Amino acid sequence: MVRSATASDNDVIGQLRQRVRGEVSDATIHRAVYSADASVYRQVPRAVVHPLDEDDLIGAVTTCTAAGVPVTLRGAGTSIAGQVLGRGVVIDTSRHMREVLEIDPENQTAWVQPGVILDDLRAQAGKHGLTFGPDPSTHSRCTMGGMIGNDSCGSHSVAWGRTADNVEELDVLLADGTRLTVGPTSREDLDALCSRSDRVGELYRDLRAMVEGNLALLRTGFPSLQRRVSGYALDSLLPENEFNLARALVGSEGTCAVVLRAKVRLVRPPASRVLVVAAFPDMPTAADSVPSILDLQPLTVEGTGADMVATLKAHSPDGRGPAALSQLPEGGGWLFIEVGGDDPTDAAERGRAMCAALDRLATATRVVTDKAQQRSLWSLREAGSGLVTRSPDGAEAWPGWEDAAVPPERLGAYLKDFQRLQAKHGLGGIPYGHFGEGCVHIRIDFDLDSDGGRAVFRAFMEDAADLVVSYGGSVSGEHGDGQARGELLPRMYSPELMALFARFKAMFDPEDHLNPGIGVQPRPMDEDLRVSGPVRALPLALSYPHDDGSLAKATRRCVGVGKCVDTSTGVMCPSYMVTGKEEHSTRGRARLLGEMLRGELVTDGWQSTEVRDALDLCLSCKGCSSDCPVNVDMATYKSEFLHQHYRGRVRPMSHYSMGALPLWLRFAGPAAPVANAVARSRVLSPALKRVAGVEPKRDLPEFANTTLIRAMRRRDRRRRDVPREAPRGEVLLFPDSFTNYLDPGVGAAAVEVLEHAGFSVRLPRGPVCCGLTWVSTGQLDVARFVMRRTTKVLADAVAADIPIVGLEPSCTSALRGELPEMVDTDAARGVGERTTTLAGLLAERASDVDFGELSGDALTQVHCHQHATLGFEADRDLIGGTGLSNRVLDSGCCGLAGNFGFEPGHYDVSVGAAERVLIPEVRAADADTTVLADGFSCRTQVDQLTGRRPEHLAEVLRRAIRTGTDAGHAAGASDVSDPAPDA
């Protein structure tokens, strides 16, 4: 429900809508999703604006400031200190203002809009052999405007500096509407600017007077280290620094001016790179070796420790962690050192020289030249920003004291003292970071829910600031001050320098319209904590075993690092990749659910239409459960919400039709010819779709003329007296509804493959269903009933320790995940433990079997649930073993996603997700290219959009088996008929 708006609010919103062509919204759904960033803070804005272009941005700012409404600029929302939150109007430039305006290869510069994604700039610059040097771990989604606001750095600042070092000019807007371009200023130009009679002349006269009156203070008042990003960089205005106002504004966190466009410096990276991994007994010892490394001019020196390795293992399904961990030399602390060269030989020689320099310091070193291995090792480091939000034991950890920096030569001693300080306050965290510049990242297990815990938070922050200052460091070495560290600046800077900061801010924004509460007049660090608000005691249907039974704690897994708003790759988040709207990201939905549980902004609990609408476009693909660094599982949260939202109420018709699809298939299956005739009818099919709540643009799937179960029964009767050898024992093939009724040929192929591999195949002795369609539509009581019945039917297989082979990835995933959690019995857990994919079984128990050979190219679409919960390595190996030249598409979700793509209102998003990568790849493939897709939804989507029917892995393996026999049919193969749809 929307809170009552004041007349002033309404006036401003109306004026914004008249002045701005882009979206202007004061709806609860948008105010909620923009109420948090990647920090621990919460500020609910009055409205959110998405400017289309520069004119829109100017109009939005000037309209707000003229009305006295505060303005906060925001990019990707990954700021960790709370500097992109505000109670006024939040302006998000990341949706539309994403154009690289110009690249000048000769002078190695580029003009960019503030919403340009860093990776997009680097991709365009890369065409000229150039790149932008600073590269934070959020490079796939962070914006140039955000990087300028925070003075972002990244791992390669050892070589190429901070963002401030790479900004040439800024085109900025002041709060009063004045526009000017700033950069380095010669004495002659400064005199000319000061002679002007307008607002620009007044500003430059004030700035010159401030500098000339405080030369000694500006030269001595700042700590001497590269990673100092706290406070305003007023020393950039010194004569020896070319009176560079652009660099003074970088890192000002939107408190002084609004960036309209920026001219940035590009660098030419080395032609080749190698990675040196050095192991040490512990992290402080690793840090002590950094000074000896810097003389060899590395591109980066990153540090991590045993705690991070333990966390990586704890977050992996098998407890072993990413495969890249096996490449780490044995130790308790590691340095990742990148070295560049003119060619691979030169780079390798430089890498070996680095190892020689570390010979007496490190316990082991290795030079990694293979690019794939380098990427996998770097992925360990980049995962840190999300993973450390949970400790290995599952405790929550928070930013706040996130990225302090000290001189690199003092880093080892600082780490030891910092560990003692944590122990003094009874706190823990996992440190890692940019050791080459003395910058340490850490998230700490503060108790922000209690008064006592918040008191410890404040006391620790103050003590930690004093510790860093005693080492000549900065309270922020990368992510800025924001609300988290603004209060600490007086501990770092003298009163005289703090007074200059206030004077600087007043010159640009005397009325404090731009991002108030950040910078010189900060809000208290222990106020506005989003994790310390009220939590409504709403009923829950699911257990949330990994979050202590709390949906609130589950939604707090999302700390805003924003991997779900990376549209360049991966499964997560398909709806956001199509719409680009924050409320359709995993992060946005988690924020909305958190606000619902808080009950202050979203006040109607489970009946919230805002949450319902945001979740409506969630495809339940489960990609977030694996791709999100902290394993947010929005598919599960959506099921809970739908269950509670529609409890005792009439549901959408699609829930009754597609939610209960296994039941309808069971009833209609015997009348397949009639059902298919209706589905094909130009008159009856549209009527059926209307009644069933099916999207009119979708074709209805057709029934097979017989089911897999009937075909298997006929086969078993025929073979009753024929002895069969099964040296590898018995397996139970799970006849999911899609395979059984709609595509039993897949099941027939699987039977032939399994029997070729030496297994005896049987089906369950009664009706079974994984219950997933009821789960995805939030009918959890029915789903639990169905799962219990399935558990009973499978009890004999569990008792006999017989593998259960699933063919449909979504159903297999449900048997392994949802069923054990929802039924929560030993028998249900036994089902989950014994359920495997076809490839998983063959890899584990029949790895020596020859399935024959095929030739040609193949494209594979990995089902989302398989990607998220089952794994694909065994499938990849089997496909490669047939001789096919296989390429696994980085296509994400196919877009159909079970019932999602068949529901009215979802067609455009469903097709948009498919058209991102999958469908263009299939259309471009040669006619003889094998297209693989194990998911029925994936095959259906491809079929309906291209007319091409992909194959299941079982069908490809069967084809390989048959190709390898003279008779065209493998000896001893199954004689299950291939039931095709009725003609």
Side-chain angles (χ1 to χ4, degrees):
M1 297 177 66
V2 181
R3 67 163 179 81
S4 298
T6 66
S8 175
D9 283 338
N10 291 330
D11 290 345
V12 171
I13 302 305
Q15 292 169 22
L16 283 169
R17 286 179 174 143
Q18 289 180 348
R19 178 64 180 80
V20 176
R21 291 173 295 115
E23 182 182 7
V24 176
S25 176
D26 61 347
T28 297
I29 189 171
H30 298 127
R31 296 172 61 222
V33 299
Y34 280 87
S35 67
D37 57 1
S39 71
V40 296
Y41 298 104
R42 172 182 179 267
Q43 301 272 1
V44 180
R46 298 189 198 182
V48 179
V49 176
H50 297 277
L52 290 178
D53 52 24
E54 200 170 88
D55 288 342
D56 261 8
L57 178 54
I58 294 171
V61 172
T62 55
T63 299
C64 291
T65 56
V69 175
V71 172
T72 299
L73 273 292
R74 173 167 167 148
T78 57
S79 295
I80 289 173
Q83 57 266 70
V84 296
L85 305 176
R87 289 192 167 98
V89 171
V90 171
I91 302 177
D92 180 357
T93 62
S94 68
R95 188 180 299 177
H96 303 298
M97 298 186 67
R98 300 176 60 163
E99 186 178 352
V100 177
L101 301 169
E102 176 189 330
I103 290 182
D104 182 347
E106 183 177 350
N107 294 305
Q108 296 186 194
T109 61
W111 277 99
V112 298
Q113 290 185 315
V116 168
I117 304 299
L118 173 57
D119 272 0
D120 291 345
L121 169 61
R122 298 176 81 185
Q124 293 195 39
K127 298 174 184 177
H128 306 282
L130 301 170
T131 191
F132 187 71
D135 57 342
S137 61
T138 54
H139 53 83
S140 63
R141 60 267 193 199
C142 67
T143 65
M144 294 302 298
M147 293 181 68
I148 291 166
N150 292 350
D151 196 4
S152 299
C153 304
S155 59
H156 287 89
S157 59
V158 171
W160 297 313
R162 312 191 314 263
T163 297
D165 302 312
N166 294 274
V167 168
E168 297 287 318
E169 296 179 26
L170 294 176
D171 187 0
V172 299
L173 181 76
L174 306 189
D176 61 7
T178 301
R179 181 171 180 173
L180 67 159
T181 299
V182 299
T185 312
S186 68
R187 182 178 295 276
E188 293 77 13
D189 288 341
L190 182 58
D191 288 341
L193 288 165
C194 290
S195 68
R196 290 172 57 164
S197 59
D198 56 6
R199 174 76 168 91
V200 174
E202 176 190 4
L203 174 65
Y204 274 96
R205 286 192 295 275
D206 289 345
L207 288 168
R208 182 169 66 177
M210 180 188 71
V211 172
E212 291 179 348
N214 296 277
L215 288 172
L217 178 60
L218 293 176
R219 285 175 174 139
T220 62
F222 293 92
S224 178
L225 76 161
Q226 173 64 17
R227 279 303 190 101
R228 182 257 304 170
V229 300
S230 283
Y232 294 134
L234 301 187
D235 52 337
S236 296
L237 299 175
L238 287 165
E240 58 266 33
N241 293 328
E242 301 182 282
F243 202 92
N244 195 325
L245 185 51
R247 293 188 181 178
L249 288 173
V250 174
S252 60
E253 301 181 350
T255 60
C256 296
V258 174
V259 175
L260 301 176
R261 57 177 68 187
K263 182 181 182 181
V264 298
R265 177 190 303 168
L266 303 175
V267 298
R268 192 170 301 281
S272 295
R273 307 186 196 197
V274 299
L275 176 63
V276 174
V277 182
F280 301 84
D282 51 44
M283 284 185 66
T285 305
D288 286 337
S289 71
V290 168
S292 63
I293 296 171
L294 296 178
D295 291 339
L296 296 177
Q297 298 183 318
L299 298 175
T300 182
V301 184
E302 298 288 290
T304 192
D307 288 345
M308 179 66 78
V309 171
T311 302
L312 286 164
K313 291 179 178 179
H315 281 270
S316 67
D318 59 8
R320 293 195 295 268
L325 286 179
S326 64
Q327 301 176 42
L328 289 179
E330 186 174 350
W334 295 268
L335 292 181
F336 291 57
I337 309 160
E338 191 172 67
V339 180
D342 296 333
D343 53 51
T345 301
D346 181 35
E349 288 177 357
R350 290 171 183 259
R352 287 190 288 272
M354 186 67 70
C355 290
L358 291 168
D359 185 51
R360 297 182 180 179
L361 302 170
T363 57
T365 59
R366 62 172 299 213
V367 178
V368 182
T369 57
D370 180 76
K371 290 183 179 180
Q373 289 186 23
Q374 290 180 30
R375 284 193 297 270
S376 69
L377 283 164
W378 277 123
S379 71
L380 302 178
R381 163 63 183 85
E382 291 192 356
S385 60
L387 284 175
V388 296
T389 62
R390 290 288 173 104
S391 62
D393 64 1
E396 295 174 290
W398 303 105
W401 189 258
E402 169 66 28
D403 57 349
V406 300
E409 63 271 16
R410 307 190 70 185
L411 179 58
Y414 165 73
L415 283 171
K416 293 174 184 176
D417 279 348
F418 185 77
Q419 289 171 347
R420 285 190 281 268
L421 181 63
Q422 284 184 279
K424 171 188 171 183
H425 288 277
L427 298 170
I430 302 170
Y432 64 101
H434 313 294
F435 281 19
E437 292 190 303
C439 181
V440 180
H441 290 299
I442 188 169
R443 298 196 182 213
I444 298 173
D445 57 353
F446 299 116
D447 170 18
L448 300 177
D449 288 322
S450 69
D451 292 339
R454 288 188 290 275
V456 171
F457 169 67
R458 171 172 282 278
F460 174 83
M461 294 284 285
E462 292 171 346
D463 286 351
D466 291 341
L467 176 64
V468 163
V469 171
S470 74
Y471 274 89
S474 172
V475 296
S476 176
E478 181 162 20
H479 294 297
D481 301 317
Q483 187 170 353
R485 292 181 286 269
E487 259 195 286
L488 302 175
L489 292 182
R491 294 174 179 268
M492 179 177 168
Y493 295 116
S494 68
E496 294 80 10
L497 199 50
M498 290 298 300
L500 288 191
F501 289 166
R503 183 175 168 183
F504 183 74
K505 159 73 172 175
M507 292 177 193
F508 287 87
D509 181 28
E511 300 298 324
D512 199 20
H513 290 311
L514 301 180
N515 216 5
I518 301 299
V520 295
Q521 294 180 326
R523 294 180 63 79
M525 70 176 78
D526 50 359
E527 290 187 7
D528 311 311
L529 297 170
R530 67 179 173 88
V531 297
S532 64
V535 177
R536 300 178 66 183
L538 298 176
L540 297 176
L542 299 174
S543 61
Y544 306 98
H546 305 295
D547 295 292
D548 301 326
S550 168
L551 178 59
K553 187 175 179 181
T555 62
R556 290 207 306 250
R557 283 180 173 271
C558 176
V559 292
V561 296
K563 192 175 179 184
C564 52
V565 297
D566 172 7
T567 60
S568 64
T569 185
V571 173
M572 183 179 67
C573 176
S575 52
Y576 178 83
M577 288 184 182
V578 176
T579 71
K581 294 183 177 181
E582 181 71 20
E583 63 268 28
H584 297 147
S585 68
T586 305
R587 178 176 67 181
R589 290 170 177 136
R591 293 285 182 261
L592 267 170
L593 284 165
E595 289 293 339
M596 180 195 78
L597 293 166
R598 189 181 184 103
E600 295 175 336
L601 180 61
V602 179
T603 59
D604 39 4
W606 292 124
Q607 302 311 310
S608 167
T609 54
E610 294 88 3
V611 178
R612 180 201 64 199
D613 292 346
L615 289 173
D616 180 57
L617 290 184
C618 170
L619 285 78
S620 296
C621 69
K622 295 189 80 71
C624 51
S625 68
S626 62
D627 283 23
C628 171
V630 286
N631 309 118
V632 170
D633 186 357
M634 194 54 60
T636 294
Y637 312 159
K638 177 182 179 179
S639 297
E640 176 80 65
F641 178 83
L642 292 177
H643 174 80
Q644 304 291 355
H645 185 76
Y646 290 109
R647 183 187 287 273
R649 303 170 65 193
V650 176
R651 290 173 167 271
M653 185 54 66
S654 62
H655 288 199
Y656 299 110
S657 58
M658 287 172 279
L661 183 64
L663 189 62
W664 297 116
L665 291 176
R666 187 176 178 185
F667 287 146
V674 175
N676 291 340
V678 172
R680 299 188 193 111
S681 169
R682 294 184 178 181
V683 176
L684 297 178
S685 180
L688 177 61
K689 292 176 188 177
R690 283 195 299 272
V691 172
V694 174
E695 166 60 45
K697 298 177 183 177
R698 284 289 178 190
D699 294 331
L700 295 172
E702 295 188 12
F703 289 87
N705 57 16
T706 189
T707 66
L708 175 65
I709 291 176
R710 290 197 198 99
M712 284 286 288
R713 286 174 179 167
R714 285 198 299 267
R715 184 202 71 155
D716 290 345
R717 284 195 295 270
R718 288 195 303 269
R719 295 169 53 177
R720 187 173 302 158
D721 299 324
V722 179
R724 303 285 294 182
E725 292 187 8
R728 300 186 194 272
E730 188 175 44
V731 297
L732 187 145
L733 187 65
F734 189 85
D736 63 88
S737 299
F738 302 101
T739 301
N740 187 45
Y741 294 102
L742 303 176
D743 205 354
V746 168
V751 172
E752 187 167 325
V753 169
L754 288 167
E755 292 188 341
H756 173 83
F759 294 98
S760 171
V761 184
R762 74 169 177 87
L763 299 181
R765 294 190 170 91
V768 290
C769 178
C770 69
L772 183 62
T773 57
W774 285 283
V775 171
S776 62
T777 53
Q779 301 178 78
L780 298 181
D781 292 335
V782 179
R784 190 171 279 113
F785 172 81
V786 170
M787 289 175 175
R788 285 173 177 157
R789 187 180 62 186
T790 294
T791 300
K792 291 180 181 178
V793 173
L794 298 178
D796 63 329
V798 171
D801 197 23
I802 296 173
I804 302 168
V805 177
L807 299 176
E808 174 59 37
S810 58
C811 299
T812 308
S813 175
L815 292 174
R816 288 177 56 136
E818 282 84 356
L819 185 143
E821 287 190 7
M822 292 183 66
V823 178
D824 193 22
T825 64
D826 289 342
R829 283 185 284 276
V831 171
E833 291 165 0
R834 286 161 181 79
T835 298
T836 182
T837 63
L838 174 64
L841 176 78
L842 295 174
E844 181 181 353
R845 303 198 180 193
S847 59
D848 58 332
V849 174
D850 180 8
F851 290 101
E853 291 189 6
L854 297 171
S855 61
D857 296 327
L859 294 177
T860 296
Q861 164 71 6
V862 180
H863 190 282
C864 297
H865 289 202
Q866 181 155 6
H867 168 88
T869 66
L870 303 172
F872 189 72
E873 287 307 309
D875 302 68
R876 190 191 303 267
D877 292 343
L878 273 173
I879 297 168
T882 66
L884 287 172
S885 178
N886 182 40
R887 184 160 58 92
V888 179
L889 299 178
D890 183 17
S891 49
C893 184
C894 74
L896 195 59
N899 57 293
F900 176 84
F902 280 96
E903 292 181 337
H906 294 173
Y907 185 81
D908 289 343
V909 170
S910 173
V911 173
E915 291 284 0
R916 194 178 67 88
V917 174
L918 172 60
I919 298 305
E921 287 276 12
V922 172
R923 289 194 186 111
D926 293 338
D928 58 354
T929 296
T930 296
V931 180
L932 288 98
D934 278 7
F936 179 80
S937 292
C938 304
R939 297 196 298 275
T940 300
Q941 181 81 307
V942 172
D943 185 14
Q944 293 198 358
L945 297 182
T946 71
R948 187 166 184 168
R949 194 262 186 196
E951 294 180 272
H952 190 283
L953 172 65
E955 295 173 304
V956 171
L957 292 177
R958 178 179 61 181
R959 181 154 55 88
I961 293 168
R962 292 182 174 182
T963 302
T965 63
D966 294 336
H969 193 284
S974 165
D975 56 353
V976 178
S977 59
D978 240 356
D982 177 69

